[in-house]
Amino acid sequence: MNKAILKREVQKFLHEHLEEQPAAIALRKSPFNDVTSTELAAQLDGLRRSRKKLPLWFDTPGIYFPSLLSIEQSSSSLTGLYKCRLIGKGEILIDLTGGFGVDSYYFSTKAKEVIHCEHNVQLSQIAAHNAHQLGADNIFFQAEDGIAYLTSLNLPILDTIYIDPSRRVKQQKVFRFQDCEPDVVDQLPMFLNKAKKILIKAAPLLDIKAALKELQHVKEVHIISVQNECKELLFLLESNHAKAVNYFCTAFDKDEEKQFVFTAQQEQESKPNFSDPKKYLYEPDSALLKAGGFKYTAIAFNLYKLHQHTHLYTADTLNNTFIGRCFEVVFTERYADFKKKKEPLKANVTTRNFPLKPDDLKKKHKIKDGGANYLFFCTGLQDELLVVHCRSVKE
């Protein structure tokens, strides 16, 4: 950690060159004797990335940014705030994989005490410096392996253990809990002996059903999407919990948040109705799709499914509480009829339960991407291939 980076003139330089590309800064000679061009470029890159992802860090003077990988792997302010909602006020929490310290900071705004563990000494120093700049004085930093520290801890039982295991092992991406570092499945008995609650962050691509077979005492699964992209998958475990698992699907879109909660039993027992496309077509958010509540979604929002395996919904009424996008149906035709047409089209193409992918369809039918029209290629009620022509309700 080069503290010369924190000098006023260096910080001023970074903000004055905020709109420049870091690569260009790296190629120029540094105007400072004690800060290299490479270091300036790295700090500028971190500052630029924090503008949207971590606005509090961007707006706080004297923030020191770590390597690009540490910033990429950190939570955003939005998801950090969300995780803070999952703990109780006044708790004692340990963050076993503290990293850049974003989650630790947000936990500290609600917890009585947060212990931040990070085996990378320099990254631990950076997180500690930034916490001081942010005014988070109830975070205590341990520059060591979190599992080793937790094992040696003789404090009374903790309230919450938070862990974000590394999903990159030996330069390869892994998705099962047992393949991550540390192996949370192997350490789970120790975790449950040390704390009342365990909060585990997983890869968004992780198979939820497979994970539930690996873990024990899971109380809640939280799927968080931002602008229809699944960003975080969280498992909340509670000692001795043996009841049903609640699925929390939370979608953030601009300044709006929507949440949908259901259980596996509700999904299993649901018997949705089916229909051809009606006045409105509903496309579920990625959080809903990830959770797998396909049948119960139809029941809860009073919608019809197009087909058992086509995860699109329809109704004659507009439901603004739906988590996803809603479209007004202009008309529906069979794909066999659509293929006969030769006129050029400009549209946004989506497929659901259809043999061809969007890019293949655009190429085959010479469809230009974009515009106000939306084409949904899908399988309908009678197993026929359909094209549903729509326009967005918001447009």
Side-chain angles (χ1 to χ4, degrees):
M1 182 175 176
N2 183 0
K3 293 185 178 181
I5 287 171
L6 300 172
K7 291 180 178 179
R8 182 178 298 177
E9 58 270 25
V10 178
Q11 292 291 304
K12 182 181 178 183
F13 174 89
L14 292 171
H15 282 84
E16 287 177 347
H17 292 78
L18 190 60
E19 303 307 323
E20 290 192 41
Q21 291 298 322
I25 297 295
L27 293 173
R28 296 208 300 261
K29 182 180 179 181
S30 172
F32 309 104
N33 294 327
D34 44 6
V35 182
T36 67
S37 296
T38 301
E39 288 174 322
L40 285 174
Q43 290 302 306
L44 181 61
D45 189 35
L47 187 63
R48 285 164 56 92
R49 290 174 184 273
S50 70
R51 184 155 39 180
K52 288 185 177 180
K53 186 176 183 177
L54 299 165
L56 179 60
W57 278 250
F58 178 81
D59 292 332
T60 301
I63 291 294
Y64 195 109
F65 292 98
S67 67
L68 173 59
L69 182 62
S70 295
I71 297 173
E72 288 180 335
Q73 291 179 339
S74 76
S75 296
S76 65
S77 291
L78 193 62
T79 57
L81 279 165
Y82 183 90
K83 286 192 279 289
C84 179
R85 287 155 45 175
L86 304 183
I87 70 168
K89 189 173 179 61
E91 286 192 5
I92 297 177
L93 177 145
I94 186 168
D95 184 346
L96 295 179
T97 48
F100 187 30
V102 173
D103 286 324
S104 286
Y105 168 76
Y106 283 108
F107 285 134
S108 77
T109 64
K110 195 173 182 181
K112 177 183 177 181
E113 179 181 320
V114 174
I115 303 168
H116 173 286
C117 296
E118 172 52 54
H119 64 87
N120 183 318
V121 176
Q122 178 166 299
L123 188 54
S124 179
Q125 292 173 345
I126 291 171
H129 164 80
N130 291 338
H132 177 73
Q133 296 301 112
L134 294 165
D137 297 326
N138 58 335
I139 307 177
F140 301 91
F141 293 86
Q142 299 294 329
E144 61 179 288
D145 176 75
I147 299 295
Y149 180 78
L150 180 63
T151 303
S152 66
L153 202 60
N154 292 319
L155 288 173
I157 192 166
L158 297 160
D159 292 297
T160 300
I161 292 172
Y162 172 65
I163 184 166
D164 177 9
S166 174
R167 295 178 285 279
R168 188 176 290 274
V169 180
K170 296 179 180 179
Q171 307 302 317
Q172 298 292 322
K173 284 188 176 181
V174 296
F175 302 104
R176 295 195 315 159
F177 279 133
Q178 289 182 324
D179 296 330
C180 295
E181 291 183 353
D183 179 350
V184 295
V185 178
D186 182 59
Q187 298 293 338
L188 195 54
M190 190 265 285
F191 289 169
L192 292 168
N193 187 50
K194 292 278 189 178
K196 301 171 187 175
K197 294 184 295 185
I198 319 296
L199 182 59
I200 306 172
K201 179 180 173 180
L205 292 176
L206 180 76
D207 185 299
I208 295 176
K209 290 184 179 179
L212 291 175
K213 291 179 181 178
E214 290 185 284
L215 302 174
Q216 301 172 20
H217 308 297
V218 179
K219 183 180 181 181
E220 298 170 1
V221 178
H222 293 257
I223 306 102
I224 307 168
S225 75
V226 180
Q227 294 182 2
N228 201 24
E229 181 182 352
C230 191
K231 289 291 188 180
E232 292 201 2
L233 181 58
L234 305 167
F235 292 82
L236 182 64
L237 288 63
E238 201 168 274
S239 299
N240 302 319
H241 179 79
K243 297 180 181 179
V245 178
N246 283 304
Y247 292 77
F248 290 76
C249 306
T250 306
F252 293 96
D253 187 9
K254 297 179 181 177
D255 295 327
E256 186 178 46
E257 175 188 345
K258 291 182 178 179
Q259 189 175 77
F260 179 62
V261 184
F262 70 96
T263 66
Q265 183 177 354
Q266 286 175 316
E267 170 64 15
Q268 185 176 359
E269 294 176 352
S270 293
K271 296 179 179 180
N273 293 315
F274 297 87
S275 172
D276 292 321
K278 294 177 178 290
K279 185 177 181 179
Y280 295 103
L281 189 74
Y282 293 85
E283 181 190 22
D285 183 87
S286 62
L288 279 181
L289 293 173
K290 180 65 182 179
F294 307 123
K295 296 186 293 183
Y296 186 64
T297 294
I299 302 299
F301 292 102
N302 196 25
L303 305 174
Y304 296 86
K305 284 202 76 181
L306 297 191
H307 183 277
Q308 180 182 356
H309 303 299
T310 301
H311 304 315
L312 292 170
Y313 306 86
T314 191
D316 281 325
T317 54
L318 182 61
N319 188 333
N320 290 319
T321 66
F322 182 76
I323 300 183
R325 298 194 296 174
C326 183
F327 300 86
E328 185 177 358
V329 176
V330 179
F331 69 95
T332 302
E333 62 181 329
R334 296 184 308 152
Y335 179 59
D337 296 328
F338 177 86
K339 289 192 293 184
K340 298 175 184 177
K341 297 179 180 180
K342 301 299 181 181
E343 66 265 25
L345 283 174
K346 184 176 183 180
N348 303 277
V349 176
T350 299
T351 59
R352 288 286 186 272
N353 190 22
F354 198 84
L356 296 175
K357 296 180 180 179
D359 286 343
D360 297 328
L361 287 164
K362 284 185 281 189
K363 183 178 180 180
K364 181 177 181 179
H365 299 291
K366 298 180 180 179
I367 303 171
K368 291 185 178 180
D369 197 31
N373 297 318
Y374 292 80
L375 298 179
F376 286 85
F377 293 79
C378 62
T379 300
L381 186 59
Q382 305 300 326
D383 289 322
E384 73 275 39
L385 298 180
L386 300 178
V387 183
V388 188
H389 296 249
C390 302
R391 56 174 170 254
S392 176
V393 169
K394 292 184 178 180
E395 293 176 353

